[in-house]
């Protein structure tokens, strides 16, 4: 009858070790939760960056829709275009 308490103790210790392993290392464990929190933080930062980029692009689209001034400005800056009758002076530094 003395072996039964030791056997029960061993079984309980094995179960405790198994549960501790799952808590710290297994699926849904502390390490995985910390990793997921880090991924969430990084994704939120990326989302903010993309939202800001979208806001800038939306403003640019609205300007392009409402007037030719923006189109003219882009043509001058990006394509080096000039209006009819204008003379372009290029200064070399």
């Amino acid at each position: 009858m003395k072996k039964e308490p030791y056997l029960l103790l061993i079984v309980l210790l094995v179960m405790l070790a198994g549960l501790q392993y799952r808590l710290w290392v297994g699926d849904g464990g502390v390490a995985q939760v910390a990793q997921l929190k880090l991924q969430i933080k990084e994704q939120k930062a990326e989302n903010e960056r993309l939202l800001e980029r979208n806001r800038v692009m939306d403003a640019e689209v609205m300007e392009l829709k409402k007037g030719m001034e923006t189109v003219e400005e882009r043509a001058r800056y990006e394509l080096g275009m000039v209006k009819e009758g204008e003379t372009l002076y290029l200064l070399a530094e």
Side-chain angles (χ1 to χ4, degrees):
M1 292 249 172
K2 287 253 183 193
K3 289 185 178 182
E4 288 180 18
Y6 292 117
L7 183 60
L8 181 61
L9 180 63
I10 291 172
V11 169
L12 289 175
L13 287 175
V14 169
M15 287 177 56
L16 179 63
L19 290 173
Q20 287 294 312
Y21 175 79
R22 284 198 66 196
L23 173 67
W24 296 104
V25 182
D27 275 350
V30 175
Q32 187 179 23
V33 169
Q35 182 184 14
L36 290 174
K37 284 182 180 181
L38 178 63
Q39 286 178 352
I40 289 170
K41 183 179 176 183
E42 290 171 353
Q43 189 63 53
K44 283 182 179 180
E46 177 71 8
N47 289 351
E48 280 300 315
R49 186 186 68 77
L50 292 173
L51 281 172
E52 182 58 32
R53 186 195 70 177
N54 288 349
R55 283 188 207 108
V56 169
M57 291 177 88
D58 283 343
E60 198 172 302
V61 166
M62 293 304 289
E63 283 186 35
L64 287 171
K65 284 182 178 179
K66 74 177 181 181
M68 292 302 291
E69 293 171 0
T70 307
V71 174
E72 182 180 333
E73 179 184 332
R74 280 199 150 201
R76 289 175 177 272
Y77 178 73
E78 292 178 7
L79 303 174
M81 298 180 82
V82 293
K83 285 184 180 177
E84 192 173 318
E86 286 184 335
T87 305
L88 175 65
Y89 294 98
L90 186 59
L91 302 175
E93 292 183 29

